[in-house]
Amino acid sequence: MPTRDKPARNTTAWWREADRKHQLSPFTDYKQLKGSEAGARIITRAEGVWLNDSEGARLLDGMAGLWCVNVGYGRKELAEAAYEQMLELPYYNTFFKTATPPPVELAEKLAEITPAGLDMVFYGSSGSESNDTVVRLARFYWKLRGKPEKQQFVSRTYAYHGSTMASASLGGMTPMQEGFGLPLPGFHHVDPPYWYDFGDGLDPEEFGRRAAKQVEDKILEIGADKVAAFIGEPIQGAGGVIIPPDSYWPEVQRICRKHEVLLVADEVITGFGRTGHLFASEHFGIEPDMMTLAKGITSGYIPLSAVMVSGAIGRTLAEEGGEFFHGYTYSGHPTACAVALANIAIIEREDLVRKVREETGPHLAKRLAELADHPIVGEVRSLGLIGAVELVADKKTHARFPGGRAGGLCRDHCFANDVVLRAVRDSMVMAPPLTISKEEIDELVSRLRTCLDLTAKDLGAG
Ligand code: PMP
């Protein structure tokens, strides 16, 4: 092995080498990253919607980190909330009949702002944990209701509910399951309401009803007396920003009610203003029995998640009794809950949800619509500040470029051109901080157009 001079500590070269040697990052091809000369891009600071890397570049963060930095970077108030709470009481648990003020205050606030009926909360530290909690809670609930055989779950392919064994079983990402012994027994999947790829030439609303009917068919196939819950993201985020037709959710809800199947909305991405509503369930008319929250609850400044639970489930737990053998050391972490309260106060004080609904969301939709005439763009769609651009070889048939390379190529061009967007298969997806200005949206879309041109050139199209 040739020896290299050891780079000076805390320089870009040093961080890259130490990263290569010692860090196993999530969702990474280790051979590819560890073998590459370039290594990781080191992000060192951020302000508003702008990231700085260790080499002085400034990147527009079109993904709000991982769909989470809703109030933008650089909020002193959130740092102060954490600092003050850490000095007062950095940690104490909520096990064994104890509580601390921040999780109690946050529970009351969440009960007030989440859709009607959801008035109790079970905390965790990640979206994955909150969805694991849903699995436990749903099974526990049905046992208390005298239906212990209601154990099974229905969800969708392309769904992302987390990376733990249960949440990845709820999810519908094949590469996360194959070779890992997943999904675990008792987890079933139906197609997503993804009109662009699965529409079969149907009218979108008709397609939405057909996709909902798959949920009913699956429940009947398993036996309604065995199905505990159906879980879905109101908009499937990591699966490609799949925005269902309006006909879908009311029908799914009707089916769940009819068959006594709990309806769980995973609002880990869509919660806290992302769609121009505080929760996307409000937009789609969903009245969930449980709702999972994470990410935007603290704008990613500190880990926290929550499962909101309906009064009916809460009453059963309280009236029937019996210990719920489940919980995490950090359930109701006081520092994380203090940051969440300060974060929600910012969202309210700055009127961010209305701004997304009435100002920046429509502006993003308008600017994205201008990309529709690009030779490799098949469809653009968005709701509030979450959106997608489909890359296609044939706009008419929706045929993709061979090899499924278009998305990856475009994402790499974006990264090289200092705009962070994500590729899901051949869709470019975006979810910038909710504080993004109209001018910054213009900048984002203009950089994306440049990268679409570069991608088209690579693919010999347009
Ligand atoms: N649910 C949804 C809808 C998500 O998008 C994610 C993460 N992207 C999760 C759950 C899992 O959250 P975490 O990574 O915090 O475990």
Side-chain angles (χ1 to χ4, degrees):
M1 281 281 283
T3 52
R4 275 189 272 174
D5 289 340
K6 219 174 156 43
R9 215 180 157 79
N10 297 346
T11 57
T12 302
W14 185 88
W15 281 317
R16 284 201 178 128
E17 192 169 313
D19 178 54
R20 230 187 251 119
K21 270 194 185 150
H22 302 298
Q23 178 164 228
L24 291 172
S25 301
F27 290 93
T28 296
D29 177 336
Y30 299 117
K31 185 173 175 191
Q32 198 185 53
L33 183 73
K34 308 286 172 206
S36 88
E37 257 314 296
R41 195 160 179 176
I42 312 291
I43 306 299
T44 48
R45 71 178 314 278
E47 185 69 35
V49 302
W50 296 94
L51 306 169
N52 285 77
D53 74 10
S54 58
E55 294 182 306
R58 215 164 153 252
L59 296 88
L60 205 173
D61 186 4
M63 285 306 298
L66 281 178
W67 329 74
C68 57
V69 188
N70 288 16
V71 300
Y73 298 94
R75 296 288 193 159
K76 222 170 152 202
E77 232 172 298
L78 299 190
E80 281 163 359
Y83 177 78
E84 280 160 22
Q85 184 59 43
M86 281 189 183
L87 289 181
E88 185 73 20
L89 177 71
Y91 173 77
Y92 195 73
N93 59 276
T94 50
F95 286 38
F96 317 129
K97 296 188 194 162
T98 57
T100 66
V104 176
E105 289 165 30
L106 180 62
E108 193 251 4
K109 184 72 189 173
L110 290 172
E112 176 201 323
I113 64 175
T114 52
L118 298 174
D119 52 17
M120 287 190 176
V121 56
F122 192 102
Y123 294 111
S125 302
S126 69
S128 304
E129 284 181 3
S130 66
N131 287 321
D132 274 36
T133 296
V134 160
V135 173
R136 282 283 186 85
L137 255 178
R139 288 178 173 171
F140 186 60
Y141 166 76
W142 285 119
K143 184 161 165 263
L144 293 180
R145 287 278 314 272
K147 299 188 174 179
E149 65 288 355
K150 274 173 103 61
Q151 292 262 321
Q152 319 244 343
F153 291 82
V154 178
S155 57
R156 285 91 53 90
T157 52
Y158 293 174
Y160 190 88
H161 296 297
S163 199
T164 53
M165 297 300 265
S167 63
S169 297
L170 288 171
M173 303 283 189
T174 319
M176 292 177 70
Q177 299 177 334
E178 274 175 10
F180 295 102
L182 299 180
L184 297 169
F187 294 84
H188 309 265
H189 300 83
V190 296
D191 288 339
Y194 186 11
W195 178 79
Y196 194 76
D197 265 14
F198 293 71
D200 278 344
L202 290 178
D203 158 79
E205 297 309 322
E206 196 184 338
F207 167 74
R209 282 186 288 277
R210 190 184 74 176
K213 183 162 183 304
Q214 283 196 21
V215 176
E216 182 159 44
D217 291 347
K218 184 57 82 179
I219 291 171
L220 294 173
E221 182 192 318
I222 302 163
D225 55 341
K226 295 194 176 61
V227 181
F230 171 82
I231 184 169
E233 303 151 78
I235 293 174
Q236 286 176 248
V241 182
I242 299 167
I243 305 178
D246 288 342
S247 58
Y248 180 75
W249 276 113
E251 190 56 10
V252 168
Q253 179 154 294
R254 186 190 65 74
I255 289 163
C256 288
R257 298 280 181 268
K258 178 175 157 200
H259 296 290
E260 259 203 302
V261 166
L262 296 175
L263 177 56
V264 185
D266 179 340
E267 293 240 19
V268 166
I269 284 181
T270 51
F272 297 96
R274 172 63 52 205
T275 64
H277 301 267
L278 199 46
F279 301 97
S281 290
E282 297 162 18
H283 173 80
F284 291 108
I286 310 170
E287 292 170 8
D289 298 299
M290 290 194 245
M291 176 188 270
T292 51
L293 303 171
K295 297 188 189 273
I297 194 170
T298 57
S299 289
Y301 278 61
I302 196 165
L304 180 71
S305 65
V307 182
M308 298 305 301
V309 173
S310 73
I313 296 177
R315 273 192 301 282
T316 301
L317 302 178
E319 285 164 14
E320 298 299 324
E323 182 168 343
F324 182 44
F325 286 100
H326 175 72
Y328 310 107
T329 299
Y330 300 129
S331 288
H333 194 290
T335 304
C337 291
V339 173
L341 282 162
N343 173 63
I344 294 168
I346 293 175
I347 293 174
E348 289 181 341
R349 191 181 68 227
E350 297 186 2
D351 206 9
L352 285 179
V353 182
R354 187 197 57 77
K355 280 189 186 147
V356 171
R357 186 173 59 251
E358 294 176 7
E359 296 169 20
T360 45
H363 188 71
L364 177 69
K366 185 173 124 224
R367 297 307 317 269
L368 285 181
E370 293 166 17
L371 296 177
D373 65 0
H374 193 281
I376 65 166
V377 172
E379 183 187 69
V380 299
R381 54 176 181 268
S382 65
L383 182 67
L385 287 177
I386 183 167
V389 175
E390 296 280 2
L391 309 186
V392 284
D394 186 328
K395 287 172 182 258
K396 223 175 166 158
T397 62
H398 302 190
R400 305 289 176 168
F401 288 99
R405 291 164 57 228
L409 282 172
C410 188
R411 182 214 38 231
D412 291 348
H413 282 305
C414 288
F415 206 38
N417 283 275
D418 294 336
V419 57
V420 183
L421 297 176
R422 210 158 127 180
V424 179
R425 298 176 303 278
D426 280 346
S427 312
M428 297 306 297
V429 300
M430 65 200 72
L434 308 186
T435 51
I436 193 169
S437 68
K438 288 186 180 174
E439 294 70 32
E440 287 164 336
I441 289 173
D442 293 342
E443 186 62 36
L444 186 156
V445 175
S446 128
R447 290 187 194 194
L448 174 55
R449 182 179 275 281
T450 305
C451 297
L452 289 169
D453 291 343
L454 294 168
T455 307
K457 213 164 143 210
D458 293 342
L459 294 165

